[in-house]
Amino acid sequence: MSQFFQIHPDNPQARLIRQATDIIRNGGVIVYPTDCGYSLGCHIGDKSALDRIRQIRRLDDKHNFTLVCKDLSEISTYARFDNGLYRLLKHHTPGPYTFIFGATSEVPRRLLHPKRKTIGIRIPENKIVQALLDELGEPIMSSSLILPNETLPMMDPYDIRDTLQHQLDLVIDGGYCGMEPTTVIKMDVDDMAVLRQGAGDASAFI
């Protein structure tokens, strides 16, 4: 049965943040709030935890997972981009966007789209996420919390706990954080494209 932490959205309690990151490091699967709803998360290097997320969402091997990063310097470790794309990122992060990049060799192969070798990258504007990333010292492997046969993500942490408590190690209640998904943008200097219009303004990428 999963643990349940109520973490303040503006002043995250350091003790609970440390406990949450310990759960991630030890192979746990968590649900945590972002600026665009609740997400599933686990350690970037943990295959077993990733497989559990695949099972919860019934994902195939073509799903593009996302690395939730602290800042632009962390993104450069995992994604390939030039100075022009960097300037665009700088003006739109943190924020409600998922950027699809060609991945570097630092990204585990099991996280990549099998044909395109791409990875999703996010820098959410959420103090709980930023506190988790500060404590963890590396990205969180992440996927939106949308259950099979549903089109909208789960929004209520109590419903999440009741529905998935035997499949999770931790649910973080960070209050209401919206239900509109991120805007997804393919970041290629020769072929930039808005793949999904969501909460973020996409005009600069068209």
Side-chain angles (χ1 to χ4, degrees), residues 5 7 22 26 46 48 56-58 65-66 75 77 80 90 104-106 114 158 174-175 189 197 201 204-205:
F5 294 173
I7 297 183
D22 284 345
N26 291 325
D46 197 301
S48 176
I56 290 169
R57 291 207 52 197
R58 297 181 195 165
F65 284 100
T66 297
I75 286 180
T77 302
R80 303 180 188 277
K90 190 173 182 180
T104 70
S105 59
E106 294 296 317
Y158 291 93
V189 68
Q197 177 62 61
D201 179 7
F205 303 95

mmCIF file of all heavy atoms in Angstrom, residues 5 7 22 26 46 48 56-58 65-66 75 77 80 90 104-106 114 158 174-175 189 197 201 204-205:
data_model
loop_
_atom_site.group_PDB
_atom_site.id
_atom_site.type_symbol
_atom_site.label_atom_id
_atom_site.label_comp_id
_atom_site.label_asym_id
_atom_site.label_seq_id
_atom_site.Cartn_x
_atom_site.Cartn_y
_atom_site.Cartn_z
ATOM 1 N N PHE A 5 1.787 11.583 1.250
ATOM 2 C CA PHE A 5 2.368 12.784 1.841
ATOM 3 C C PHE A 5 1.575 14.005 1.391
ATOM 4 O O PHE A 5 1.350 14.184 0.193
ATOM 5 C CB PHE A 5 3.818 12.985 1.399
ATOM 6 C CG PHE A 5 4.797 11.951 1.881
ATOM 7 C CD1 PHE A 5 6.108 11.968 1.417
ATOM 8 C CD2 PHE A 5 4.433 10.966 2.796
ATOM 9 C CE1 PHE A 5 7.027 11.031 1.848
ATOM 10 C CE2 PHE A 5 5.352 10.023 3.236
ATOM 11 C CZ PHE A 5 6.651 10.055 2.752
ATOM 12 N N ILE A 7 2.156 17.684 0.948
ATOM 13 C CA ILE A 7 3.273 18.612 0.888
ATOM 14 C C ILE A 7 2.766 19.985 0.461
ATOM 15 O O ILE A 7 2.004 20.107 -0.505
ATOM 16 C CB ILE A 7 4.364 18.108 -0.082
ATOM 17 C CG1 ILE A 7 4.933 16.771 0.436
ATOM 18 C CG2 ILE A 7 5.473 19.134 -0.246
ATOM 19 C CD1 ILE A 7 6.070 16.206 -0.402
ATOM 20 N N ASP A 22 14.150 9.595 -1.218
ATOM 21 C CA ASP A 22 14.665 8.277 -0.800
ATOM 22 C C ASP A 22 13.846 7.159 -1.446
ATOM 23 O O ASP A 22 14.395 6.135 -1.868
ATOM 24 C CB ASP A 22 14.629 8.139 0.718
ATOM 25 C CG ASP A 22 15.746 8.907 1.414
ATOM 26 O OD1 ASP A 22 16.707 9.303 0.724
ATOM 27 O OD2 ASP A 22 15.639 9.117 2.641
ATOM 28 N N ASN A 26 15.304 4.363 -4.090
ATOM 29 C CA ASN A 26 15.212 2.948 -3.727
ATOM 30 C C ASN A 26 14.286 2.143 -4.635
ATOM 31 O O ASN A 26 13.865 1.037 -4.289
ATOM 32 C CB ASN A 26 14.755 2.819 -2.271
ATOM 33 C CG ASN A 26 15.809 3.295 -1.288
ATOM 34 O OD1 ASN A 26 17.003 3.121 -1.522
ATOM 35 N ND2 ASN A 26 15.387 3.909 -0.187
ATOM 36 N N ASP A 46 16.177 3.057 -13.180
ATOM 37 C CA ASP A 46 15.546 1.870 -12.606
ATOM 38 C C ASP A 46 14.588 1.197 -13.596
ATOM 39 O O ASP A 46 13.479 1.680 -13.827
ATOM 40 C CB ASP A 46 14.799 2.241 -11.323
ATOM 41 C CG ASP A 46 14.482 1.037 -10.456
ATOM 42 O OD1 ASP A 46 13.787 0.125 -10.950
ATOM 43 O OD2 ASP A 46 14.940 0.999 -9.304
ATOM 44 N N SER A 48 13.025 -1.743 -13.385
ATOM 45 C CA SER A 48 11.857 -2.355 -12.753
ATOM 46 C C SER A 48 10.769 -1.316 -12.491
ATOM 47 O O SER A 48 9.580 -1.570 -12.735
ATOM 48 C CB SER A 48 12.265 -3.032 -11.440
ATOM 49 O OG SER A 48 11.139 -3.550 -10.773
ATOM 50 N N ILE A 56 1.046 0.172 -15.314
ATOM 51 C CA ILE A 56 -0.056 1.005 -14.828
ATOM 52 C C ILE A 56 -0.767 1.678 -15.997
ATOM 53 O O ILE A 56 -1.991 1.707 -16.064
ATOM 54 C CB ILE A 56 0.472 2.071 -13.840
ATOM 55 C CG1 ILE A 56 0.916 1.413 -12.523
ATOM 56 C CG2 ILE A 56 -0.595 3.135 -13.558
ATOM 57 C CD1 ILE A 56 1.683 2.335 -11.601
ATOM 58 N N ARG A 57 0.001 2.178 -16.944
ATOM 59 C CA ARG A 57 -0.575 2.908 -18.071
ATOM 60 C C ARG A 57 -0.798 2.036 -19.305
ATOM 61 O O ARG A 57 -1.371 2.499 -20.290
ATOM 62 C CB ARG A 57 0.334 4.086 -18.440
ATOM 63 C CG ARG A 57 0.347 5.194 -17.393
ATOM 64 C CD ARG A 57 0.669 6.519 -18.028
ATOM 65 N NE ARG A 57 -0.189 6.785 -19.170
ATOM 66 C CZ ARG A 57 0.069 7.697 -20.114
ATOM 67 N NH1 ARG A 57 1.188 8.410 -20.041
ATOM 68 N NH2 ARG A 57 -0.749 7.884 -21.121
ATOM 69 N N ARG A 58 -0.326 0.771 -19.269
ATOM 70 C CA ARG A 58 -0.422 -0.152 -20.405
ATOM 71 C C ARG A 58 0.206 0.464 -21.658
ATOM 72 O O ARG A 58 -0.428 0.554 -22.719
ATOM 73 C CB ARG A 58 -1.870 -0.562 -20.654
ATOM 74 C CG ARG A 58 -2.485 -1.326 -19.487
ATOM 75 C CD ARG A 58 -3.909 -1.745 -19.784
ATOM 76 N NE ARG A 58 -4.611 -2.162 -18.579
ATOM 77 C CZ ARG A 58 -5.929 -2.313 -18.480
ATOM 78 N NH1 ARG A 58 -6.688 -2.080 -19.550
ATOM 79 N NH2 ARG A 58 -6.491 -2.696 -17.349
ATOM 80 N N PHE A 65 8.837 8.671 -23.293
ATOM 81 C CA PHE A 65 8.894 9.080 -21.897
ATOM 82 C C PHE A 65 9.526 10.464 -21.792
ATOM 83 O O PHE A 65 10.131 10.981 -22.734
ATOM 84 C CB PHE A 65 9.683 8.069 -21.078
ATOM 85 C CG PHE A 65 8.909 6.821 -20.789
ATOM 86 C CD1 PHE A 65 9.109 5.665 -21.533
ATOM 87 C CD2 PHE A 65 7.960 6.800 -19.779
ATOM 88 C CE1 PHE A 65 8.386 4.523 -21.272
ATOM 89 C CE2 PHE A 65 7.231 5.656 -19.514
ATOM 90 C CZ PHE A 65 7.446 4.512 -20.258
ATOM 91 N N THR A 66 9.368 11.062 -20.612
ATOM 92 C CA THR A 66 9.848 12.418 -20.375
ATOM 93 C C THR A 66 10.791 12.444 -19.181
ATOM 94 O O THR A 66 10.533 11.799 -18.167
ATOM 95 C CB THR A 66 8.663 13.370 -20.115
ATOM 96 O OG1 THR A 66 7.834 13.420 -21.280
ATOM 97 C CG2 THR A 66 9.124 14.762 -19.776
ATOM 98 N N ILE A 75 19.338 19.785 -18.851
ATOM 99 C CA ILE A 75 18.810 19.354 -20.144
ATOM 100 C C ILE A 75 19.940 19.036 -21.122
ATOM 101 O O ILE A 75 19.886 18.056 -21.871
ATOM 102 C CB ILE A 75 17.888 20.442 -20.750
ATOM 103 C CG1 ILE A 75 16.544 20.469 -20.011
ATOM 104 C CG2 ILE A 75 17.639 20.178 -22.229
ATOM 105 C CD1 ILE A 75 15.587 21.511 -20.539
ATOM 106 N N THR A 77 22.667 17.704 -20.793
ATOM 107 C CA THR A 77 23.269 16.385 -20.603
ATOM 108 C C THR A 77 22.519 15.314 -21.385
ATOM 109 O O THR A 77 23.119 14.330 -21.838
ATOM 110 C CB THR A 77 23.272 16.012 -19.106
ATOM 111 O OG1 THR A 77 23.995 17.011 -18.377
ATOM 112 C CG2 THR A 77 23.905 14.647 -18.863
ATOM 113 N N ARG A 80 20.035 16.873 -27.459
ATOM 114 C CA ARG A 80 20.886 17.527 -28.449
ATOM 115 C C ARG A 80 20.174 18.778 -28.981
ATOM 116 O O ARG A 80 19.056 18.685 -29.486
ATOM 117 C CB ARG A 80 21.170 16.572 -29.607
ATOM 118 C CG ARG A 80 21.816 15.257 -29.191
ATOM 119 C CD ARG A 80 22.068 14.377 -30.412
ATOM 120 N NE ARG A 80 22.503 13.046 -30.027
ATOM 121 C CZ ARG A 80 23.754 12.724 -29.725
ATOM 122 N NH1 ARG A 80 24.694 13.658 -29.747
ATOM 123 N NH2 ARG A 80 24.075 11.485 -29.395
ATOM 124 N N LYS A 90 15.217 28.897 -23.176
ATOM 125 C CA LYS A 90 15.450 29.829 -22.087
ATOM 126 C C LYS A 90 14.245 30.735 -21.852
ATOM 127 O O LYS A 90 13.925 31.086 -20.711
ATOM 128 C CB LYS A 90 16.692 30.668 -22.385
ATOM 129 C CG LYS A 90 17.175 31.510 -21.216
ATOM 130 C CD LYS A 90 18.500 32.175 -21.530
ATOM 131 C CE LYS A 90 19.007 32.987 -20.343
ATOM 132 N NZ LYS A 90 20.300 33.632 -20.641
ATOM 133 N N THR A 104 20.897 12.236 -26.181
ATOM 134 C CA THR A 104 22.326 11.948 -26.104
ATOM 135 C C THR A 104 22.525 10.522 -25.596
ATOM 136 O O THR A 104 21.570 9.838 -25.191
ATOM 137 C CB THR A 104 23.042 12.920 -25.149
ATOM 138 O OG1 THR A 104 22.648 12.619 -23.794
ATOM 139 C CG2 THR A 104 22.697 14.362 -25.475
ATOM 140 N N SER A 105 23.771 10.108 -25.559
ATOM 141 C CA SER A 105 24.077 8.753 -25.091
ATOM 142 C C SER A 105 23.875 8.593 -23.587
ATOM 143 O O SER A 105 23.927 7.476 -23.067
ATOM 144 C CB SER A 105 25.524 8.391 -25.455
ATOM 145 O OG SER A 105 26.429 9.311 -24.866
ATOM 146 N N GLU A 106 23.623 9.694 -22.868
ATOM 147 C CA GLU A 106 23.389 9.619 -21.427
ATOM 148 C C GLU A 106 21.999 9.081 -21.093
ATOM 149 O O GLU A 106 21.748 8.685 -19.954
ATOM 150 C CB GLU A 106 23.546 11.009 -20.791
ATOM 151 C CG GLU A 106 24.953 11.573 -20.857
ATOM 152 C CD GLU A 106 25.935 10.745 -20.053
ATOM 153 O OE1 GLU A 106 25.603 10.337 -18.933
ATOM 154 O OE2 GLU A 106 27.046 10.493 -20.564
ATOM 155 N N PRO A 114 11.831 3.872 -29.911
ATOM 156 C CA PRO A 114 12.718 2.889 -30.526
ATOM 157 C C PRO A 114 13.204 3.245 -31.922
ATOM 158 O O PRO A 114 14.296 2.827 -32.321
ATOM 159 C CB PRO A 114 11.857 1.616 -30.554
ATOM 160 C CG PRO A 114 10.441 2.089 -30.446
ATOM 161 C CD PRO A 114 10.497 3.319 -29.614
ATOM 162 N N TYR A 158 -6.558 11.949 -3.611
ATOM 163 C CA TYR A 158 -7.253 10.934 -2.824
ATOM 164 C C TYR A 158 -7.818 9.841 -3.729
ATOM 165 O O TYR A 158 -7.760 8.652 -3.388
ATOM 166 C CB TYR A 158 -8.362 11.580 -1.987
ATOM 167 C CG TYR A 158 -7.828 12.455 -0.882
ATOM 168 C CD1 TYR A 158 -7.636 13.822 -1.082
ATOM 169 C CD2 TYR A 158 -7.477 11.923 0.359
ATOM 170 C CE1 TYR A 158 -7.128 14.632 -0.079
ATOM 171 C CE2 TYR A 158 -6.971 12.722 1.374
ATOM 172 C CZ TYR A 158 -6.798 14.074 1.146
ATOM 173 O OH TYR A 158 -6.282 14.865 2.136
ATOM 174 N N GLY A 174 -0.230 17.598 -3.517
ATOM 175 C CA GLY A 174 0.261 18.974 -3.599
ATOM 176 C C GLY A 174 -0.836 19.944 -3.953
ATOM 177 O O GLY A 174 -0.565 21.043 -4.448
ATOM 178 N N GLY A 175 -2.096 19.536 -3.698
ATOM 179 C CA GLY A 175 -3.219 20.403 -4.015
ATOM 180 C C GLY A 175 -3.613 20.336 -5.475
ATOM 181 O O GLY A 175 -3.100 19.540 -6.253
ATOM 182 N N VAL A 189 15.889 21.843 -35.351
ATOM 183 C CA VAL A 189 16.150 23.108 -36.033
ATOM 184 C C VAL A 189 15.632 23.108 -37.472
ATOM 185 O O VAL A 189 15.248 24.149 -38.013
ATOM 186 C CB VAL A 189 17.666 23.432 -35.982
ATOM 187 C CG1 VAL A 189 18.469 22.442 -36.819
ATOM 188 C CG2 VAL A 189 17.921 24.865 -36.434
ATOM 189 N N GLN A 197 -1.251 20.877 -28.777
ATOM 190 C CA GLN A 197 -1.492 22.174 -28.140
ATOM 191 C C GLN A 197 -2.100 21.941 -26.760
ATOM 192 O O GLN A 197 -3.134 21.292 -26.630
ATOM 193 C CB GLN A 197 -2.431 23.026 -28.977
ATOM 194 C CG GLN A 197 -2.774 24.368 -28.337
ATOM 195 C CD GLN A 197 -1.562 25.253 -28.143
ATOM 196 O OE1 GLN A 197 -0.901 25.626 -29.089
ATOM 197 N NE2 GLN A 197 -1.254 25.578 -26.888
ATOM 198 N N ASP A 201 1.681 28.527 -24.482
ATOM 199 C CA ASP A 201 1.549 29.285 -25.724
ATOM 200 C C ASP A 201 2.564 28.759 -26.741
ATOM 201 O O ASP A 201 3.768 28.764 -26.507
ATOM 202 C CB ASP A 201 1.812 30.766 -25.432
ATOM 203 C CG ASP A 201 1.718 31.641 -26.668
ATOM 204 O OD1 ASP A 201 1.319 31.136 -27.743
ATOM 205 O OD2 ASP A 201 2.061 32.835 -26.564
ATOM 206 N N ALA A 204 5.467 30.868 -30.565
ATOM 207 C CA ALA A 204 6.885 31.056 -30.886
ATOM 208 C C ALA A 204 7.486 29.860 -31.611
ATOM 209 O O ALA A 204 8.584 29.957 -32.160
ATOM 210 C CB ALA A 204 7.689 31.324 -29.601
ATOM 211 N N PHE A 205 6.760 28.744 -31.640
ATOM 212 C CA PHE A 205 7.309 27.503 -32.222
ATOM 213 C C PHE A 205 6.671 27.160 -33.562
ATOM 214 O O PHE A 205 6.953 26.113 -34.133
ATOM 215 C CB PHE A 205 7.098 26.342 -31.243
ATOM 216 C CG PHE A 205 7.708 26.582 -29.884
ATOM 217 C CD1 PHE A 205 6.947 27.096 -28.846
ATOM 218 C CD2 PHE A 205 9.039 26.321 -29.667
ATOM 219 C CE1 PHE A 205 7.512 27.317 -27.605
ATOM 220 C CE2 PHE A 205 9.621 26.537 -28.425
ATOM 221 C CZ PHE A 205 8.851 27.056 -27.392
#
